[in-house]
Amino acid sequence: MCLVKQRFSHTAPVPDAASTFAILFVILLLADTGVRLWLAARQIRHVAAHRGAVPDEFAARISLTSHQRAADYTVARIRLGMLERVFDAVVLVGLTLLGGLQALDLLMSQITSHELLRQLLLLVAVLLVLGLLGLPFTLYRQFRLEARFGFNRMTPELFMVDTLKGVVLSLALGLPLAAVILWLMASAGSLWWFWAWLVWSVFQLFVNFIAPVVIAPMFNKFTPLTDASLATRIRALGERCGFKVKGMFVMDGSRRSGHGNAYFTGFGRTRRIVFFDTLLNKLNADEIEAVLAHELGHFARRHIVRRHVISIALALVFFAALGWLANQPWFYVGLGVLPQLGARNDAMALILFFLVIPVFTFMFTPLASWFSRSDEFEADRYAASQTSATFLVSALVKLYDDNAATLTPDPVHSAFYDSHPPAAIRVRHLMAAA
């Protein structure tokens, strides 16, 4: 351990600090997993208890059969999520405290002695391990659970193609970014984290700019909206909302799923409105306009800009924390990794930080959910002022029904997780606005 202290400067005894950090990590991981399982159990009990009757707000428009299907779908997803959460916790412990990352790090050292290549290979190896371990859950969710409730339309061949495209895209975009950050960690001095944050911020803007015109078309087909009457209404809505529409497109979402949605994306010349083809098949023109008015409400009330600013500000905090932790030997040792002597441990610092940061921040989830629900209420009010609250309610009820969204979520589970208000409360607010 003395050799480790020669590589890093720290005043506290490494074994004591490492043990304390390891204990804290285990306590928070157990708390995280325990709370999430408790919330999931609450959701299952609450949804099952209300399975037998449609809430009064929806009784005239949603059948008992559809309500029960939504309840069963919710329970099935929650149960799978509980199993996945326990599995993820076990994998995290295996990679950290049980020495999985240490073994991968030593293996990469045997493959190559080139510093940058060794660290990039370590990053790729960890992502590959995590992807392979999570693959059974992804396959089961897509081809069993979603298929059981009539949502899956993806073929195994399309899944393989999408996966390969995702891997290639991740390598093409992620490896250069990782290489630049690793170079900054080794060469930019004590403020490397600030320059890395700048690089990450520019990278995020770049991806958001090219995503609508380069990345999204790699996975889906986008065709111009051909309904002239609907296009005219949307342009008029955009003008009222101060949103200059650059393009309106229909996405072939039905190739993969029966779920429907609409969104706007990009900025500047790449700004566009996108409709899932499944959405256009389910809603009439008035309802589509109301849904889009809600989405434009996020633009008009600057929710998206604010979220980007908050995201970039939080990234600065995280990079600053990483800049400090990367120089603390107890950070590595406490998470089951002995830093390599005479070599760079920057990739390991990145991996450890991003693996464990969710454990240390999970208690802030309800706060983020509350802010998101507040934005949704505001966007609903904006939509009601631009179109009709009645049409938005009609659209939402159809989407709840078609997407098998539960109408009776557990209040505590909803407050902790849900980015959108519960269905009954949301409809109640909209009808008050009407």
Side-chain angles (χ1 to χ4, degrees):
M1 195 62 66
C2 295
L3 292 176
V4 176
K5 292 172 68 176
Q6 293 175 11
R7 176 71 177 83
F8 297 87
S9 60
H10 195 269
T11 56
V14 175
D16 292 344
S19 298
T20 301
F21 184 63
I23 293 171
L24 177 62
F25 169 66
V26 171
I27 291 173
L28 289 178
L29 179 60
L30 289 174
D32 180 327
T33 305
V35 168
R36 294 184 189 277
L37 293 178
W38 172 70
L39 289 169
R42 283 186 61 100
Q43 177 81 330
I44 289 174
R45 288 196 301 269
H46 194 275
V47 170
H50 293 82
R51 182 179 183 274
V54 182
D56 293 340
E57 294 91 338
F58 305 96
R61 287 178 283 191
I62 293 181
S63 68
L64 178 59
T65 300
S66 293
H67 174 65
Q68 291 177 335
R69 171 175 174 258
D72 295 340
Y73 179 57
T74 299
V75 169
R77 288 192 301 113
I78 292 291
R79 284 175 175 164
L80 179 61
M82 293 173 74
L83 180 61
E84 191 171 13
R85 180 59 200 168
V86 173
F87 180 79
D88 288 344
V90 172
V91 169
L92 181 58
V93 171
L95 286 174
T96 54
L97 302 182
L98 298 183
L101 290 176
Q102 180 77 66
L104 284 175
D105 196 22
L106 294 176
L107 177 61
M108 296 306 111
S109 298
Q110 296 172 5
I111 293 176
T112 179
S113 59
H114 189 282
E115 274 298 301
L116 181 59
L117 180 58
R118 175 184 66 82
Q119 296 193 84
L120 289 175
L121 286 176
L122 178 61
L123 289 171
V124 172
V126 171
L127 292 176
L128 180 62
V129 168
L130 292 174
L132 290 175
L133 290 175
L135 185 60
F137 290 97
T138 302
L139 291 172
Y140 182 87
R141 181 178 292 106
Q142 187 70 45
F143 293 104
R144 292 295 299 275
L145 195 154
E146 292 289 309
R148 173 185 163 193
F149 291 93
F151 291 121
N152 178 55
R153 297 176 183 174
M154 179 180 286
T155 64
E157 293 78 14
L158 182 57
F159 179 85
M160 291 179 61
V161 171
D162 280 355
T163 301
L164 290 175
K165 287 180 179 179
V167 170
V168 172
L169 184 63
S170 298
L171 293 176
L173 293 175
L175 283 181
L177 175 65
V180 171
I181 290 178
L182 291 172
W183 176 80
L184 288 171
M185 294 178 77
S187 308
S190 60
L191 289 178
W192 69 263
W193 54 269
F194 178 76
W195 303 112
W197 167 74
L198 284 179
V199 169
W200 179 89
S201 300
V202 172
F203 175 80
Q204 290 293 103
L205 292 174
F206 170 72
V207 170
N208 287 335
F209 183 79
I210 69 169
V213 294
V214 177
I215 298 176
M218 293 175 60
F219 297 90
N220 290 97
K221 182 179 179 181
F222 294 82
T223 56
L225 181 65
T226 57
D227 188 329
S229 175
L230 180 59
T232 299
R233 295 182 65 164
I234 292 172
R235 288 193 186 92
L237 174 65
E239 290 177 1
R240 295 199 305 272
C241 299
F243 183 89
K244 189 174 182 181
V245 179
K246 297 292 184 180
M248 290 172 281
F249 295 86
V250 179
M251 189 186 85
D252 60 340
S254 58
R255 290 183 63 205
R256 293 168 174 81
S257 173
H259 295 293
N261 201 357
Y263 64 94
F264 70 89
T265 184
F267 56 90
R269 291 185 294 105
T270 65
R271 179 185 290 176
R272 55 177 57 186
I273 294 172
V274 177
F275 301 95
F276 283 42
D277 54 358
T278 47
L279 183 81
L280 296 180
N281 293 331
K282 294 170 182 174
L283 305 184
N284 62 41
D286 291 325
E287 293 164 342
I288 292 171
E289 183 181 21
V291 168
L292 189 56
H294 169 89
E295 297 301 326
L296 292 178
H298 290 301
F299 165 79
R301 295 295 181 246
R302 300 188 179 278
H303 297 160
I304 296 174
V305 172
R306 187 180 69 217
R307 290 175 187 179
H308 279 304
V309 171
I310 292 174
S311 174
I312 291 174
L314 287 176
L316 178 61
V317 174
F318 288 145
F319 271 107
L322 176 59
W324 177 67
L325 289 171
N327 292 321
Q328 312 305 318
W330 51 262
F331 174 64
Y332 300 86
V333 178
L335 293 174
V337 174
L338 191 65
Q340 290 203 33
L341 301 177
R344 302 294 308 182
N345 295 281
D346 304 324
M348 183 62 74
L350 289 172
I351 293 167
L352 288 173
F353 184 81
F354 287 107
L355 278 179
V356 305
I357 195 63
V359 176
F360 287 84
T361 58
F362 87 100
M363 69 283 293
F364 298 108
T365 302
L367 181 62
S369 300
W370 181 85
F371 275 113
S372 178
R373 289 194 299 273
S374 178
D375 286 349
E376 294 301 325
F377 278 129
E378 190 172 19
D380 277 350
R381 290 193 296 271
Y382 182 86
S385 71
Q386 296 296 324
T387 56
S388 166
T390 303
F391 290 142
L392 183 55
V393 168
S394 176
L396 289 173
V397 171
K398 286 184 179 179
L399 291 175
Y400 291 144
D401 191 10
D402 288 335
N403 293 326
T406 180
L407 304 176
T408 57
D410 172 66
V412 179
H413 183 278
S414 179
F416 194 94
Y417 283 117
D418 288 353
S419 60
H420 287 64
I425 295 176
R426 188 174 184 184
V427 168
R428 208 172 297 140
H429 277 243
L430 278 167
M431 294 312 296

